Each structure stands twice: as structure tokens, then as C-alpha cells.
Amino acid sequence: FGHLPTRPHLVKATTRQGQCDSAMMMMHTAASAVSSVARKAGPHKVFVYGTLKTNFYNHPLLVTTRAAFLGTANTCRPMRLALGEYGVPYLFEQRGEEDDVVPGELWEVDDAGLDALDVLEGVEEGMYSRVELDVEVWWRNRDACAKGDEEGEEPWDPPEKDAGPRGEAQVVSAFGYVAGPASLARGVGSPRSGHRTLGAYSLEVHEAEYVPKHRRAAGSLGTSGGGTDPHR
């Protein structure tokens, strides 16, 4: 973790809520559509909350694009997470009364990696929209990491939330994928759809519900032009 760049807008605070509130006063307070945000050259931070997480079906795409794991993370503000058709998880910019922050992972990708994610998520078709989000990430203190390496400690796993002195939480800006216009037009996540709201997209739900793109009906969102399947 010693190679992670220090970003000027990283904000520390004594509590999760205080940290997020302070960061959002200094940065944008809501997700902004990528179409209105000029994309700079990589590397890019990307927050994943569904099938791209470690041990999930589409995670090999991050491996083959040589993405770097930065830490466990969650959205800084409460957002709605719903399970759509074919067991596909969708994050929504509009929240409900009972929604909470959404957990996931923070990764770093290069330009080619971000392009591959855009294809997987069907951005051009409107299945998802790539937006900028404020996320809270937990990673190891850099000084402690260097000391641990010198002492020959075993590889360190990122801590859970509020894990104590070995974890250092910071708020960063990252790309994330939310329900796109085509998905919203089809009623994904709407009350009439019957799609249930989730607190987190667990491996148990994933294994029971998720249907890979190559097994979906023709014309399904995200399958235009063959889509992208890291297993095929």
C-alpha cells in the first residue's frame, strides 16, 4: 500500500458521519453524471458493489485488466441498492427513507480497464451510467505497512468498518455505476417491478440469483453486440 498516492482532497475525521459530512462540504455533494464530467487520463478509482467484487462472477475482469485493490469501502451517503432482473444489482442515486450506505470495494484501473468496465456495465446502451461518488475507504496506515514489511509480517487484510488503530478511513472521489436511463425506463427497481431492496449484495444472493450475460434472453440490457463476459 506504500504506492498509493495521497490526494489533496482526502479528509480525515473522528467519526464516519463527521468524516463524510466534512468531505462532502469540500467536494461535490451528489453523484454527477459522467457525460457532464471530463474524463482525465488514468489511473481511475472505481467503487464496485456487485458482481465485480472479489470472488463474484465478473471479478476476473479486474484481474485481467491488472486492477489494483485499494481497500474495503462504502458509499459516503445512503443510497438504494436493488436486485433487478437476472439477479443483477443496481445502485440508485435517489434514496428511500430506509436506505443506508452501500458496502463494496475500491479498485484502481487504467484507461483500458475503465473502458472494459464501461462495456461490461452496458454504459453505451444505458443499462448503467458511470458517475462520480464520494466513498469511504479503509486501508492500512502507510507507515504501519512499511514497518510490517520490514518485520516480515504476513500479508495484511483490510479491516472491517470501525476496526480500530490498524485501519485508516478516508473519503475519496471514485467512479461508480448506477442504474442507467434504459434500465430506469424499463422500471428496474420501481415498486411495480417487484425488485427487492438489499442492504448489500452478498455472495449468497449472487450465487442464487445471478444469470451471466450469455445465458440471458436476446435483447436483454447489456447484451448488445455480445456484451462482455470475463469467462467467455
Side-chain angles (χ1 to χ4, degrees):
F1 286 83
H3 68 281
L4 294 175
T6 300
R7 298 284 293 278
H9 59 271
L10 296 183
V11 180
K12 297 180 181 179
T14 56
T15 66
R16 184 177 77 180
Q17 188 60 49
Q19 183 185 48
C20 289
D21 290 345
S22 297
M24 287 194 289
M25 289 177 63
M26 297 174 64
M27 299 185 289
H28 47 78
T29 58
S32 52
V34 161
S35 60
S36 64
V37 177
R39 169 175 152 178
K40 298 180 180 179
H44 310 278
K45 289 180 173 62
V46 180
F47 172 71
V48 301
Y49 57 88
T51 66
L52 285 160
K53 293 190 296 184
T54 304
N55 296 324
F56 287 66
Y57 186 86
N58 289 316
H59 181 71
L61 182 61
L62 291 175
V63 176
T64 57
T65 56
R66 299 183 179 277
F69 177 72
L70 301 184
T72 56
N74 57 252
T75 59
C76 201
R77 64 185 179 90
M79 299 182 74
R80 185 180 177 217
L81 177 65
L83 192 67
E85 188 179 19
Y86 298 115
V88 176
Y90 290 88
L91 194 62
F92 294 85
E93 296 188 75
Q94 288 73 32
R95 58 165 294 191
E97 293 183 359
E98 299 182 0
D99 293 332
D100 199 352
V101 296
V102 176
E105 300 173 353
L106 188 67
W107 289 78
E108 189 171 77
V109 301
D110 59 16
D111 291 338
L114 191 63
D115 289 340
L117 290 175
D118 282 353
V119 174
L120 173 72
E121 306 291 16
V123 171
E124 187 172 337
E125 301 172 56
M127 181 178 184
Y128 287 91
S129 293
R130 175 162 49 84
V131 302
E132 289 185 344
L133 301 170
D134 291 333
V135 299
E136 193 175 29
V137 59
W138 279 260
W139 47 46
R140 190 176 185 182
N141 180 279
R142 294 177 180 81
D143 293 335
C145 183
K147 182 178 179 181
D149 291 341
E150 292 171 0
E151 295 178 353
E153 289 186 357
E154 295 182 358
W156 177 84
D157 292 324
E160 297 296 329
K161 292 188 291 184
D162 305 322
R166 293 201 73 184
E168 180 181 347
Q170 294 179 317
V171 174
V172 303
S173 178
F175 285 129
Y177 293 87
V178 301
S183 294
L184 295 175
R186 291 195 181 196
V188 171
S190 67
R192 69 178 185 275
S193 70
H195 298 155
R196 69 181 187 271
T197 298
L198 304 174
Y201 187 66
S202 68
L203 190 59
E204 180 181 6
V205 169
H206 177 67
E207 291 177 340
E209 305 280 352
Y210 184 69
V211 178
K213 287 187 176 185
H214 67 275
R215 292 173 50 196
R216 300 176 197 171
S220 299
L221 283 177
T223 60
S224 176
T228 296
D229 189 328
H231 294 267
R232 292 173 67 83

